[in-house]
Amino acid sequence: MSTPEHQVTVPDTIDSPATKLVYVAITVIETATVSRLHRLLDLSKLTLLPILWSLVDAGFIQRQEGRYVRR
């Protein structure tokens, strides 16, 4: 059985490795809550929240009904 491959291009303006990881995760899984990202990436929620806010502020993702999705 083959697994689907995802090619994700990370914007050049994203410098932080943790921010890149969160961006790629949201791109691949398409929609995510903070809790899901916490379990998937093993990053604390205190680490995730500022990363998510910065991605929202930069226009890379948006928050919809408690979930984060790529724009």
Side-chain angles (χ1 to χ4, degrees), residues 17-38:
T19 304
K20 288 178 183 181
L21 182 64
V22 172
Y23 177 83
V24 169
I26 291 172
T27 300
V28 171
I29 62 177
E30 296 179 359
T31 182
T33 63
V34 174
S35 294
R36 184 171 183 196
L37 290 169
H38 166 67

Side-chain angles (χ1 to χ4, degrees), residues 6-12 14 20 23-24 27 60 70:
H6 296 279
Q7 290 189 353
V8 177
T9 302
V10 177
D12 293 334
I14 299 176
K20 288 178 183 181
Y23 177 83
V24 169
T27 300
F60 295 123
R70 195 171 137 203

